[in-house]
Each structure stands twice: as structure tokens, then as C-alpha cells.
Amino acid sequence: MGFHLNSLGQTPVFQKDFTGNTSYDIIDIDLYPNNPYVMKEVYPIMKESQLTYYEETNRANTLKLREVLKTMPYFTKDFFRALEPNTSTKTRISYVYDIRIFFYFLITSNPSFKDKEIVDIRLSDLEKLEPVDIEEYLEFLKYYKDADGKIHTNKERGLHRKLAAIRSFYAYYYKRELIRKNPTVIVDMPKLHKREIIRLDSDEVSELLSYVEHGGDNMTGMKKVYFEKNKERNLALFTLLLGTGIRVSECVGLDLNDVDFKNHRIRIMRKGGKEDFVYFGDEVASALLSYFEVRKNIETKPGHEQALFLSVQKRRLCVQSIENLVKDCAMHVTTIKHITPHKLRSTYGTSLYRNTGDIYLVAEVLGHNDVNTTRKHYAALDEDRKKMAATAVSLRKDNKQQ
């Protein structure tokens, strides 16, 4: 992990002053090749031994998964052990919660399990279930209360995901001949209706960035103070999301040394832990450099020294915080569209496709493993291009001469 030069041939680094406080500066590293202060005080902060955000998240998810599995039947551990080589910890966490809901349904709604606790369920009990039990489970998911009395609802996509989870669960044991029946394959998957891509129009993008930059002009009191204090961070954040199309999870994982100003790119961690580089333009570079000037004066909480985007508590900004920020700011631009960080990603993808017409480029930049995923999302734009073809070719020239 090395230093990244900016466009001036300089290197953003952190260093300690004589009081021991950590500070940020941009220096010409070549001017200090033998300076013991730079070498001893700067380089140790960037050691590889420090866990990255992705590694910390994986560790936390692994520990969380182990805790949840303690509340599950003993045989479920085999299934999750088999999932590990080909799935992320985030995927396995989603699976374990979905399967635990299935077990919760059995002990609360199925008469055959009324005297059981979840941990008491045996693999042989799953063989006793019929397709109608799975259908009753899907009906249960549409509206239910959990053990704490909290109400949950699921629409077609939630139902589809949860049925897919228990299908995989059953398939694992059926394939290994540990059970003789698999009722989940008899039940049809819920139909998924096509959803229209919600995105911002070009004028809405401009309005959103203008609000993030100047929205505090009409505010007063502490609201204005808070808005102005976070203006450079928020502008850099929105400009980066709209100018690169990265996922919100990829954004929160960014560290200071993931920004390469010389080559106008950022290093991100894609789904599944794949490292990738995404390039940005001058507008993004300008917003990031302005934020770096603010960021250098912030002394973070321990463990968050390398985080690029920080909360007011001086910790790494989390996904939920960015989602709330995007929602609050977007409400000042449009009240009709429900804008999320993913909608900003769709906005970028739409603009890129309209300007290039290259679906493979869009897929690569957005980090889609399958171009068909990209094609499905931007099928509506293909229809627009087809309509343009109707008037692109003239069969006969106008014979009227003026």
C-alpha cells in the first residue's frame, strides 16, 4: 500500500507534530528523501497491518453469524460452512436471518412444531413438511409480528428472496441424501414485476448539487451551523456518487489513501472482496480536494484515522447515515421520486449509457459481473434508441423545390 500522488506531483499524507497530534498535509515527497521525520512519522501510519473497512466488516459479520447460529438447529452449521467459499459474509448473514424466520414461523404457526424451540428442530422434521406448509409460510411473511412484537411485511421481492433462501437450504440436504423430500421445489417462485428505474434528470442533478453547496444560505441558527460544517464533505460525497456510480457500501469503505489524484481514480472493494479502480473527472477531483483541506484538520476517533468520509462523531460514516443524507437533500429537489444512494448510481449509469451507447462499458464501470444484469436495468433506454431509428432513415427525399 503506497502513497498516491495528486495532479501536482504531490502526496497527501498524515503526520504528527511536536505535540503528538496527527495532522494532514500535502508535501513533495521527493524533496525529503532522507528526512527521518517524514520517513518515521508518516510511513508507519500507512502500514498494511491495519485492518481495512472491508476486513473489519467481514470480521464483524463472521462473529455475528456465529452468534445467530447458536440460536439455530445444530445441522444448519453444515449448510453455512458449505456456503462460505462462494459467498460473502453479508450474503450469509442475510441467509441466516431469512432461514431463522422460517424456523420462527414453524414454531409459532405450524401445529406440528408448537411444543418445540428453534434449537430443538431436527433435520427429520423438515421432511415432514408439505408444499402447502411452504405456501402457508409465504402467506405468513406478508404480515407478521416477531418475538419482540415488531410488525414486518414482505412484498414480492421479499417473498422471492426468502423462498430462494429456504430452497437453497433444502437443496443442500437433499443433494447429500440427508432428506428424501424437498417440498420447496413444488412451490412456484413469486412473480417479480418489472420495476421502472428511478433516476434524477440532468436538471435535478444540478439542483441537488446546488442545494448541497448553497442550501445553508437560507438557514439560520444551529441548523445553518451544522449544514455549513458538513458542506465540503457532503458536496464531495454527492459529487463522487453521481460522478462515478459507486455503491454506497463501496463509498463508506474508502480510505484516504484510496484516492489517487494523479491518475484521477479511486480504489474500491467490490462485492465479494474484489479490488477495483474507478476513474473520476475534474468535477469530482475538485470536490474531493476541497474536502481534503477540511479533512486534514479533523482528529478522528481511534481506529478511524484512515476513513475518508467522517461523521460528526469523527468516525467513519456508515451506510445508514449516507442513505438519510441523500433522502433529506433529495426532498428539496423532488418530492415525487424516492431518491436513495442506489438511485444516484442509476442516474450515473443512465447518463453513461446515453452518452456512450456501450452497455459493456456501463457494466464494467458499475461492477456488474453479468452484462445481462446491466441490460435488464437499462432496457428502457434501448427502447428509446429503437424509437429514434424510426426517423433516422428517410425513404424518399422531399421533391418540393423552393
Side-chain angles (χ1 to χ4, degrees), residues 296-310:
K296 71 181 182 181
N297 297 315
I298 302 176
E299 186 174 351
T300 70
K301 297 290 184 181
H304 299 265
E305 293 87 356
Q306 293 304 313
L308 176 59
F309 292 111
L310 298 172

Side-chain angles (χ1 to χ4, degrees), residues 101-102 104-106 108-109 135-145 152 154 159:
I101 292 171
F102 176 62
Y104 176 74
F105 156 76
L106 292 179
T108 58
S109 304
E135 291 170 346
E136 288 177 354
Y137 170 58
L138 294 178
E139 183 63 29
F140 167 84
L141 288 172
K142 293 178 181 178
Y143 181 92
Y144 70 94
K145 289 184 180 180
H152 299 268
N154 285 275
L159 298 175

Side-chain angles (χ1 to χ4, degrees), residues 119-131:
V119 293
D120 298 327
I121 296 175
R122 297 292 179 260
L123 193 54
S124 58
D125 293 329
L126 298 185
E127 283 191 303
K128 300 174 183 177
L129 297 179
E130 300 292 338

Side-chain angles (χ1 to χ4, degrees), residues 194-195 197 199 245 247 270 342 345-346 348-354 356-382:
K194 186 177 179 181
R195 293 189 301 186
I197 297 178
R199 61 182 77 86
R247 299 178 177 90
R270 295 288 194 190
H342 193 75
R345 176 173 162 85
S346 296
Y348 172 80
T350 300
S351 298
L352 182 61
Y353 187 50
R354 278 179 171 159
T356 65
D358 189 341
I359 197 69
Y360 292 96
L361 175 62
V362 177
E364 184 176 356
V365 172
L366 293 181
H368 290 163
N369 292 325
D370 186 356
V371 71
N372 289 322
T373 302
T374 318
R375 200 183 305 278
K376 178 179 64 176
H377 287 320
Y378 299 100
L381 298 183
D382 280 332

